[in-house]
Amino acid sequence: MDSILLALVGMFVFFLGYRFYSKFVAEKIYRLDPNFTTPAHEFNDGKDFVPTNKFVLWGHHFTSVAGAAPIVGPAIAVYWGWLPAVIWVLLGTVFAAGVHDFGALVLSVRNKGQSVGTLANKLIGQRAKVLFLFIILILVLMVNAVFAWVIANLFITFPSSVLSVFIQIPLAIWIGYVVYRKKGGMLLPSLAALATMYIAAIVASRVPALQIDLPSYFGGEETIVAFGLNGVAISFFVWIIILMIYVYIASTLPVWKLLQPRDYINSHQLVVGLAILYLGLFFSNPELTAPAVNSAATDVPWLPILFITIACGAISGFHGLVASGTSSKQLNKETDARFVGYLGAVGEGLLALAAIIAVATLFTSQSDFLGAYSSFDAANSGGLGNFVQGAGQLATGIFIPADIATTIVAVIVVSFAATTLDTSVRLMRYIISELGSTYNIKAITKTHVATTIAVVSSAALVLLPEGPQGFGSGGYVLWPLFGTSNQLLAGITLLLITVWLKIKGRNYLVTLIPMIFLMCMTLYAMGRQLLMDWSGLLSDHEFNFLLVFLGTIIFVFAAWIVLEAINSLTKKKPVEPKDKAM
Amino acid sequence: MNLKRLIELYDEVLRTGHRTEIMRELQDEDDLFMLLLYSDMLGVPNPAFFYTLELYPHMLEKFHEWHTRMGMDKSPLNGFRCC
């Protein structure tokens, strides 16, 4: 099948979703009012609450939510064939992610721009707020561990990308200095920095001496370096430790010094990445060589695991945090919420769709695909590498040599993952400090203590799972846990929107159905993995304490959300909100 | 829409992400600077007060911003004449 046709079908479905479904939801369910005074106008302080042009706000919303996650999940999920992954991305984006992101934005706008956590307390009660905080904590912990592994894995697989990624750090600090100390603009220096990074990537692709290939320095898989670890295992260990030291520094520095200029450069990279994927696709129109449905994928069933493998790209709870945390405070008109929220989800769906196509067109034949995706473990550990190579191959359509394009795509994905990692560690630091303030534990309210807890716990989590290459290389086993914790967050946000719609006496099926679906899949997936794969109770697998422990926590949280949902929705007279705005 | 406006919009999109956090951090730095300059008025001895007081006319506008931001309509310091 032609890949262009698949891309066009996907875009058409997204178009229909935006044009008709989101219009129906906006008019009949959320009932947007162009005359409603949004928090941006009501509390305009020039800082948090600022009325913002809808195109600017959409761009900000999209660049905040799009990262490496909508690439990693689909690249793994192609294991079951490209068709199930595409269907879930399309239907998930149109019927779940769209109404979720859009709804979180509207709910927050109708409640003075309050975040989902505060609204959980208001609409359901204190228990829901505690649950929400725990889910966020577990999500950020998973994000830290998973993305540290993702970056280490890419550095090991594509050593030519390392130089560019590390060059970005001093360049970003220089831009921060130029902009805030010398009062310069950020656009031109950031473009110059991007050009420098890509020149470094091109040179490193062709000059092996500039490729920082730790496994070969340590003697490869055959050499035992220290503590019984071979060259690859010690490379994972070294990269993860370096990354953790980096995120510690990055998340404690003032934002203008490193994070803002780095995110600014990375936003250019999002544009470059999407351009490479879609222009390459339309100019080269490669065949989809992966099977539509992989009948050889029998070790792990697609139902329910597909739905926790692709979280971002189909539905992601993290979007609700962005929508209710910042975007809602900047919405100029309530009717803009449809454009910003729903199209933000569509943007991420497009990225996921491109990731599926890049992987499904990489292989020369179906047997090559079946060799690379021989098991679910192989898909987990190699999926992202396949995406990078697939995207590199697509780039040949716009006359970029495959080796150079592969390095540039690896740099882009590492940069996305690093942005997510920085943000997540910073967020975890804030949550730990907040918990310290709430429970009067002064020590953990301190910046460096909270950051140390965040970094050490994340490092421990990513180093514990042992993969085929040894210590630290098995971080990919955490991916399904990341997916489920993200789905839990989405589930609780959908529950809040549903309760709000019920209070308002409107049809709440548009949010209730995706919520029930998500929670059923999460419970089913966690239950199955706990019983069949991780505890060894119903199979001959070995007992894995870490996965059983984390899986049980997530299972309990999912069950908790379901009980809260039943409790909230079966109340005969829901508690009336105090403020009239609701 | 001309190219210049398009570039401005693009720049605004990319800056929006950290705008609030940076403003908050810069305000914290300003507040600390203000405290260092006028700690004497709060009863904290400042050996350089004689010199820092010379900055008074330049800081008046920022001081007004600070006390209104802190929720005080009028200056809380007797020695610091403001609005």
Side-chain angles (χ1 to χ4, degrees):
Chain A
M1 185 184 175
D2 279 355
S3 48
I4 289 184
L5 185 63
L6 180 62
L8 289 176
V9 168
M11 287 174 177
F12 186 63
V13 172
F14 288 146
F15 167 75
L16 291 180
Y18 178 69
R19 179 72 184 76
F20 297 105
Y21 190 58
S22 76
K23 189 168 185 278
F24 161 75
V25 174
E27 287 174 0
K28 306 287 180 198
I29 310 293
Y30 296 151
R31 295 183 198 166
L32 303 186
D33 176 6
N35 299 318
F36 180 78
T37 310
T38 60
H41 288 283
E42 193 178 354
F43 310 110
N44 188 349
D45 60 0
K47 190 171 67 181
D48 291 292
F49 296 87
V50 185
T52 306
N53 175 303
K54 73 174 177 181
F55 295 101
V56 171
L57 194 56
W58 175 82
H60 154 65
H61 188 79
F62 176 54
T63 50
S64 304
V65 298
I71 294 171
V72 183
I76 296 170
V78 174
Y79 171 62
W80 294 288
W82 55 263
L83 190 60
V86 167
I87 292 174
W88 171 226
V89 165
L90 296 184
L91 295 184
T93 300
V94 171
F95 294 107
V99 287
H100 168 273
D101 297 15
F102 179 16
L105 196 50
V106 175
L107 181 64
S108 176
V109 165
R110 286 275 163 171
N111 287 276
K112 301 178 178 177
Q114 287 169 330
S115 68
V116 181
T118 313
L119 292 171
N121 191 18
K122 203 168 173 181
L123 286 167
I124 302 179
Q126 179 67 19
R127 245 188 358 244
K129 193 188 175 184
V130 173
L131 171 66
F132 179 81
L133 258 184
F134 276 123
I135 290 175
I136 298 228
L137 242 190
I138 203 154
L139 176 67
V140 290
L141 189 62
M142 293 295 166
V143 170
N144 298 345
V146 164
F147 285 93
W149 177 83
V150 161
I151 298 172
N153 186 33
L154 285 173
F155 279 167
I156 288 169
T157 317
F158 304 101
S160 52
S161 65
V162 178
L163 183 67
S164 299
V165 172
F166 277 88
I167 277 183
Q168 192 187 23
I169 298 169
L171 286 173
I173 292 172
W174 167 69
I175 293 172
Y177 176 77
V178 167
V179 172
Y180 289 97
R181 291 285 180 242
K182 301 282 180 192
K183 307 287 178 201
M186 202 177 273
L187 188 63
L188 287 179
S190 66
L191 288 174
L194 190 67
T196 311
M197 285 170 63
Y198 287 168
I199 290 169
I202 293 167
V203 175
S205 302
R206 298 289 163 91
V207 182
L210 293 175
Q211 298 175 4
I212 301 172
D213 188 4
L214 286 193
S216 74
Y217 298 162
F218 288 122
E221 262 183 74
E222 294 76 29
T223 313
I224 300 297
V225 183
F227 314 113
L229 301 175
N230 66 29
V232 179
I234 206 90
S235 304
F236 267 103
F237 179 76
V238 170
W239 278 132
I240 286 166
I241 295 300
I242 290 174
L243 285 168
M244 287 301 161
I245 293 170
Y246 160 73
V247 287
Y248 185 99
I249 296 167
S251 63
T252 47
L253 276 178
V255 177
W256 63 267
K257 276 193 178 159
L258 175 61
L259 286 191
Q260 194 204 25
R262 242 214 33 219
D263 285 359
Y264 198 101
I265 299 171
N266 289 344
S267 299
H268 297 321
Q269 299 213 68
L270 182 63
V271 179
V272 172
L274 280 169
I276 286 179
L277 287 169
Y278 277 100
L279 287 178
L281 171 69
F282 283 105
F283 279 103
S284 61
N285 189 19
E287 278 288 306
L288 293 163
T289 48
V293 177
N294 180 12
S295 52
T298 49
D299 60 341
V300 175
W302 66 271
L303 183 74
I305 309 298
L306 169 67
F307 302 103
I308 58 165
T309 303
I310 304 181
C312 300
I315 179 164
S316 161
F318 178 71
H319 295 201
L321 293 183
V322 176
S324 69
T326 55
S327 303
S328 64
K329 297 179 176 71
Q330 298 170 5
L331 208 65
N332 186 31
K333 282 200 297 187
E334 196 184 48
T335 41
D336 292 349
R338 178 180 162 219
F339 184 85
V340 176
Y342 201 92
L343 270 192
V346 166
E348 183 147 290
L350 279 172
L351 188 55
L353 185 64
I356 294 169
I357 293 173
V359 176
T361 55
L362 167 66
F363 302 95
T364 48
S365 65
Q366 242 188 57
S367 57
D368 275 359
F369 170 86
L370 294 173
Y373 282 83
S374 56
S375 66
F376 190 57
D377 266 355
N380 266 311
S381 59
L384 191 57
N386 293 334
F387 164 77
V388 172
Q389 286 179 331
Q393 191 169 283
L394 284 180
T396 55
I398 45 173
F399 311 109
I400 304 175
D403 58 335
I404 290 173
T406 302
T407 303
I408 290 177
V409 174
V411 170
I412 292 174
V413 179
V414 169
S415 304
F416 288 173
T419 299
T420 313
L421 188 63
D422 286 342
T423 312
S424 176
V425 170
R426 211 175 174 82
L427 193 61
M428 192 168 174
R429 180 189 117 196
Y430 290 147
I431 296 169
I432 293 169
S433 296
E434 198 180 318
L435 283 173
S437 306
T438 310
Y439 295 104
N440 209 17
I441 310 168
K442 277 197 176 164
I444 64 169
T445 59
K446 310 280 181 205
T447 302
H448 290 282
V449 178
T451 313
T452 305
I453 295 171
V455 168
V456 170
S457 56
S458 307
L461 186 60
V462 67
L463 288 172
L464 280 174
E466 197 163 317
Q469 275 109 22
F471 190 54
S473 65
Y476 61 81
V477 297
L478 299 169
W479 182 260
L481 292 168
F482 161 74
T484 38
S485 41
N486 212 344
Q487 307 292 40
L488 287 183
L489 196 57
I492 198 162
T493 306
L494 284 170
L495 172 62
L496 290 172
I497 305 167
T498 309
V499 170
W500 175 68
L501 289 174
K502 191 185 176 208
I503 291 171
K504 303 290 280 180
R506 297 180 199 162
N507 185 344
Y508 50 82
L509 287 178
V510 290
T511 49
L512 182 68
I513 293 172
M515 192 210 87
I516 291 174
F517 179 78
L518 271 187
M519 289 304 103
C520 286
M521 287 305 135
T522 304
L523 281 170
Y524 183 12
M526 277 298 101
R528 191 197 172 280
Q529 295 218 286
L530 279 170
L531 294 173
M532 303 288 291
D533 299 331
W534 298 337
S535 70
L537 283 175
L538 299 180
S539 67
D540 54 358
H541 284 84
E542 277 183 31
F543 182 84
N544 185 322
F545 174 76
L546 179 73
L547 295 179
V548 169
F549 177 68
L550 293 169
T552 307
I553 291 176
I554 289 174
F555 187 88
V556 170
F557 283 165
W560 188 350
I561 292 178
V562 172
L563 292 175
E564 288 288 356
I566 294 169
N567 186 33
S568 309
L569 296 170
T570 51
K571 273 182 193 167
K572 281 188 181 168
K573 283 186 180 175
V575 180
E576 280 298 325
K578 283 174 189 169
D579 55 305
K580 288 174 191 168
M582 286 182 70
Chain B
M1 192 185 290
N2 61 25
L3 186 66
K4 195 180 170 201
R5 177 68 189 132
L6 210 63
I7 292 171
E8 279 171 5
L9 275 180
Y10 181 66
D11 182 57
E12 206 182 330
V13 166
L14 304 195
R15 278 176 183 267
T16 301
H18 292 291
R19 185 180 57 198
T20 306
E21 219 173 340
I22 287 173
M23 284 186 78
R24 194 166 287 127
E25 281 179 356
L26 290 176
Q27 278 176 354
D28 285 349
E29 279 189 17
D30 279 349
D31 291 351
L32 180 65
F33 181 64
M34 190 95 70
L35 180 71
L36 288 173
L37 292 186
Y38 305 112
S39 59
D40 223 78
M41 292 181 177
L42 297 170
V44 181
N46 176 4
F49 187 58
F50 181 74
Y51 302 99
T52 60
L53 202 57
E54 285 190 18
L55 291 171
Y56 172 79
H58 303 285
M59 296 302 290
L60 202 55
E61 208 171 302
K62 284 213 163 193
F63 180 76
H64 179 71
E65 268 175 32
W66 172 78
H67 75 72
T68 45
R69 181 154 47 83
M70 291 298 159
M72 294 172 278
D73 291 337
K74 300 284 174 192
S75 166
L77 302 176
N78 290 332
F80 210 123
R81 278 176 24 190
C82 188
C83 48

